[in-house]
């Protein structure tokens, strides 16, 4: 417990915009504000991860870097970190979804009473396997340089930050879907009763909004990722993470997976 306490305290002091903990009634405007703030987190997480090269041994299934553990070192670090954070109560928050939910320890800190906003079947909607595969196999190679500097623990910590930020943003689709359903249940109920995924997906797709989001995250990557000189002049030619990668991330994965979460949530909304 002596070793665990500092980690618990550090987690409990971690501050971010948390709708589920705000005590504020949900509505679509507040949900959108949260989604926009989560964009900042995702951009900064990718910038921090870009400081390290690919460090491929971290992800190898065959090196046996952890005696007695079957899997990659990043798998081990993420699983063990989630176990510690679970003891600090992280996964009692409905916004959080662990990547390795099996056999997570119970919280050892006083339980927080989060508002019961989501429909109970929300807990069964989880796309973290797709997020894990997307991040390591598709996204990561787009913005890190090749190489091995040996900083595996620090690299994995940044990977976990990226994974958790992406997971939180994508699974926030449950809150989006619930708000939309409450505002106009009569519009969604026919498609839900017929379990029509395509109809729900069409109802949840707004191309003009998606284009706005893509432009906004690219602009944030431009602003946050510029190198600033001592004379306060910024370089417009080199960025810590190419802004087009953020736009691509949202277009190809974040928004489609978010809509998938929304659809899967709504399909269970009348259960």
């Amino acid at each position: 417990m002596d070793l665990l306490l500092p980690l618990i305290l550090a987690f409990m002091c971690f501050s971010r915009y948390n709708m589920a903990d705000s005590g504020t009634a949900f509505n679509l405007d507040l949900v959108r504000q949260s989604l926009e703030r989560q964009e900042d987190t995702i951009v900064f997480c990718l910038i921090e991860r870009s400081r390290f090269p690919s460090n491929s041994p971290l992800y190898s299934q065959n090196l046996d870097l952890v005696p007695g553990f079957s899997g990659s070192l990043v798998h081990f670090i993420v699983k063990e970190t989630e176990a510690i954070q679970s003891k600090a109560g992280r996964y009692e928050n409905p916004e959080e979804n662990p990547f390795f939910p099996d056999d997570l320890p119970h919280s050892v800190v006083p339980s927080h009473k989060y508002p019961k906003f989501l429909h109970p079947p929300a807990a069964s909607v989880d796309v973290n396997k797709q997020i894990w595969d997307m991040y390591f196999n598709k996204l990561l190679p787009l913005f890190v340089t090749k190489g091995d500097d040996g900083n595996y623990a620090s690299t994995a910590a940044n990977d976990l930050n990226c994974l958790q930020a992406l997971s939180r943003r994508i699974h926030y689709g449950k809150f989006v879907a619930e708000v939309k359903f409450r505002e106009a249940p009569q519009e969604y109920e026919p498609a839900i009763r017929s379990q029509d995924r395509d109809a729900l997906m069409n109802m949840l797709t707004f191309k003009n909004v998606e284009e706005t989001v893509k432009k906004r995250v690219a602009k944030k990557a431009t602003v946050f990722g510029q190198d600033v000189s001592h004379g306060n002049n910024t370089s417009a030619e080199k960025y810590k993470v190419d802004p087009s990668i953020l736009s691509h991330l949202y277009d190809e994965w974040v928004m489609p997976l978010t809509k998938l979460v929304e659809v899967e949530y709504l399909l269970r909304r009348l259960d």
Side-chain angles (χ1 to χ4, degrees), residues 2 22 32 35 42-43 46 68 74 82 141 219 228 231 246 257 265 269-270:
D2 291 340
S22 66
R32 285 172 178 152
L35 293 175
I42 290 172
V43 172
L46 265 61
V74 73
E82 286 191 337
K219 186 173 183 178
V228 180
L246 269 298
L257 284 172
Y265 176 85
R269 182 57 180 78
L270 301 179

Side-chain angles (χ1 to χ4, degrees), residues 23-222:
T24 305
F26 283 87
N27 60 54
L28 203 52
D29 285 339
L30 288 173
V31 168
R32 285 172 178 152
Q33 289 176 28
S34 178
L35 293 175
E36 289 187 25
R37 294 181 188 216
Q38 290 180 54
E39 293 168 4
D40 300 353
T41 303
I42 290 172
V43 172
F44 279 119
C45 283
L46 265 61
I47 288 173
E48 285 300 297
R49 175 58 183 88
S50 70
R51 294 169 49 219
F52 301 93
S54 53
N55 284 338
S56 58
L58 176 62
Y59 313 109
S60 174
Q61 301 285 333
N62 304 316
L63 292 182
D64 296 324
L65 295 179
V66 182
F69 182 80
S70 177
S72 67
L73 180 55
V74 73
H75 181 163
F76 173 80
I77 292 173
V78 170
K79 189 171 184 177
E80 292 297 310
T81 304
E82 286 191 337
I84 293 174
Q85 292 180 343
S86 182
K87 289 183 179 181
R90 181 175 192 134
Y91 301 110
E92 294 182 1
N93 184 339
E95 293 184 20
E96 304 289 353
N97 293 266
F99 284 86
F100 299 102
D102 295 338
D103 302 319
L104 276 177
H106 296 294
S107 174
V108 299
V109 300
S111 179
H112 180 79
K113 301 299 182 183
Y114 290 100
K116 301 294 183 183
F117 179 75
L118 297 177
H119 197 53
S124 65
V125 179
D126 189 319
V127 296
N128 269 343
K129 288 184 178 179
Q130 293 97 309
I131 295 171
W132 181 279
D133 176 70
M134 174 274 290
Y135 176 78
F136 287 114
N137 297 321
K138 299 170 184 175
L139 176 62
L140 199 58
L142 296 179
F143 73 95
V144 298
T145 59
K146 292 184 178 180
D148 183 354
D149 66 0
N151 288 307
Y152 301 147
S154 296
T155 302
N158 280 279
D159 283 330
L160 179 56
N161 288 338
C162 291
L163 287 167
Q164 290 178 330
L166 288 166
S167 177
R168 189 182 310 118
R169 166 58 178 82
I170 289 166
H171 287 102
Y172 217 80
K174 300 176 190 180
F175 292 90
V176 176
E178 180 63 23
V179 168
K180 289 181 177 178
F181 178 84
R182 291 192 185 192
E183 289 187 348
Q186 70 283 354
E187 294 183 12
Y188 292 95
E189 285 182 2
I192 295 172
R193 295 187 188 283
S194 62
Q195 295 289 283
D196 191 336
R197 284 180 166 81
D198 291 338
L200 289 171
M201 185 63 75
N202 288 333
M203 295 169 68
L204 296 166
T205 299
F206 300 91
K207 290 295 185 182
N208 59 328
V209 174
E210 293 179 4
E211 287 300 318
T212 298
V213 171
K214 287 162 52 181
K215 291 177 182 177
R216 186 171 62 236
V217 295
K219 186 173 183 178
K220 287 181 178 182
T222 300

